[in-house]
Amino acid sequence: MNDDEKRQVTDDERDFEGELRELLAEDAYTIRPSAAPYPQIRRRGALERRRRVAVAGAALATLAAVPAAVYGLGTGSAQGSTAAAPTPSRTATPSVSPTPSAEPDRATAALFDGITYRQARDGLENCLDSEFTRDWPGRPGLAPPDAYAIVLAMRSTGDSNTGGDGVFVVAQADDEERSSLICRLEDGVTQGITGFPDESDDIPDAGAVLVNPNSNRLFQQTVLDHGRWKLPFRWAVIGTAKPSVARVTVSYGDSSAEVTVDDGRFVASGVLNEQVTRAPHIKGYDAGGELVYDSDDDKYWDGSLP
């Protein structure tokens, strides 16, 4: 092998190593969201914006490989299914508050796995006053604490990239950017936060339903555990929908959920009891029951899991 060939091999190895490091870093709770949602359309401009608005997480030292692509949705039966938001599921167990008027978001919070509203609210307050946000200049991607309404609280299944089981709290605000956040806690202590605005209007030729790319953290375990996820697995999908969409259905493996759309947003949750290779499958219907969106036909959506 001559010197030019040796240099080419070295350059190729460096390129591969750089790409691998980038993939490994993307699934950690870093100062950016977990994955670029629309790999071909937003490109670097949107990616940089999302990196600016995401808030730091705790898994900086624990890396897992994840492709920079959003995951699509596959079919499944209704076995063990659970619906979520904007009205609580029958399996939700909200706490009884003596002063519900002081907690206006309690009625629309979907609470699962025995998590009470007060526990979810305490978790949100911890997230917004944690080491990850307290000294963050300008609190990018976050609305003022009193602007957030809790929309979902559920268990978080530990995997090879997390220290153990915990809780996810998802909150949304009606500020100018319609900010949302996903917070993960263990024993009431914040382990990581992702904050992000609603950018659905910025996606060219977007479908009637748009799953937020940050919610892949809610419906998948690390790719290091591909094919051997811990079960049963509580999952969730959050997203936005255009005014033409009245309800959304989500199927995932052997579970499914059906929800209505509230102010252009939706939250769905269920319990997975089988290993899957396809990500959740989403459909949107108008008020007359006509199908207006199917993720299988979404050119921006990849239906396979890594």
Side-chain angles (χ1 to χ4, degrees):
M1 183 180 294
N2 59 37
D3 290 341
D4 288 340
E5 290 173 332
K6 290 179 179 178
R7 280 194 296 270
Q8 182 62 46
V9 170
T10 301
D11 290 340
D12 290 343
E13 289 175 346
R14 288 172 179 168
D15 290 342
F16 175 78
E17 181 179 358
E19 292 173 0
L20 180 60
R21 288 181 179 276
E22 182 176 354
L23 289 173
L24 288 172
E26 284 182 0
D27 198 41
Y29 263 118
T30 64
I31 60 171
R32 56 185 179 236
S34 55
Y38 313 102
Q40 302 302 321
I41 59 170
R42 301 306 305 280
R43 300 191 186 279
R44 301 306 301 178
L47 180 58
E48 290 305 316
R49 184 184 178 194
R50 289 192 180 277
R51 285 175 177 171
R52 288 196 299 271
V53 301
V55 182
L60 294 175
T62 308
L63 304 180
V66 58
V70 69
Y71 306 109
L73 307 177
T75 59
S77 69
Q79 178 184 354
S81 64
T82 310
T87 55
S89 162
R90 286 192 295 266
T91 62
T93 55
S95 62
V96 177
S97 171
T99 56
S101 61
E103 299 172 336
D105 62 328
R106 179 179 179 273
T108 58
L111 309 175
F112 298 100
D113 310 313
I115 302 169
T116 66
Y117 175 83
R118 176 44 53 193
Q119 289 170 332
R121 195 75 211 180
D122 289 346
L124 176 61
E125 292 174 1
N126 186 284
C127 288
L128 293 172
D129 189 32
S130 68
E131 60 181 308
F132 308 115
T133 58
R134 194 177 302 119
D135 300 322
W136 190 263
R139 298 165 62 86
L142 295 179
D146 59 359
Y148 281 105
I150 295 170
V151 296
L152 173 68
M154 69 181 204
R155 71 174 180 265
S156 167
T157 301
D159 54 37
S160 295
N161 196 43
T162 55
D165 292 345
V167 171
F168 276 124
V169 175
V170 180
Q172 296 172 337
D174 286 325
D175 60 332
E176 183 177 351
E177 291 193 320
R178 289 169 62 88
S179 303
S180 298
L181 68 81
I182 299 173
C183 179
R184 185 177 182 277
L185 305 101
E186 290 182 18
D187 298 324
V189 178
T190 301
Q191 302 299 310
I193 302 176
T194 303
F196 45 91
D198 174 12
E199 294 183 334
S200 57
D201 292 338
D202 299 333
I203 310 301
D205 302 322
V209 175
L210 190 64
V211 175
N212 192 287
N214 298 280
S215 67
N216 67 358
R217 195 168 295 284
L218 302 174
F219 66 76
Q220 69 169 14
Q221 295 177 38
T222 175
V223 295
L224 297 177
D225 296 332
H226 181 66
R228 48 189 176 85
W229 287 4
K230 293 181 180 179
L231 300 174
F233 173 51
R234 165 69 66 182
W235 59 267
V237 172
I238 63 175
T240 58
K242 293 182 178 179
S244 60
V245 180
R247 67 184 180 93
V248 172
T249 64
V250 183
S251 57
Y252 194 17
D254 62 350
S255 62
S256 63
E258 180 172 345
V259 299
T260 55
V261 178
D262 181 25
D263 193 26
R265 290 165 160 169
F266 70 90
V267 177
S269 180
V271 177
L272 190 65
N273 290 287
E274 67 177 19
Q275 303 293 338
V276 291
T277 58
R278 300 287 296 176
H281 179 206
I282 296 178
K283 294 182 178 181
Y285 299 86
D286 64 17
E290 182 178 353
L291 180 69
V292 294
Y293 174 82
D294 189 327
S295 62
D296 283 348
D297 301 324
D298 191 335
K299 63 181 179 181
Y300 299 132
W301 199 256
D302 181 2
S304 61
L305 289 170

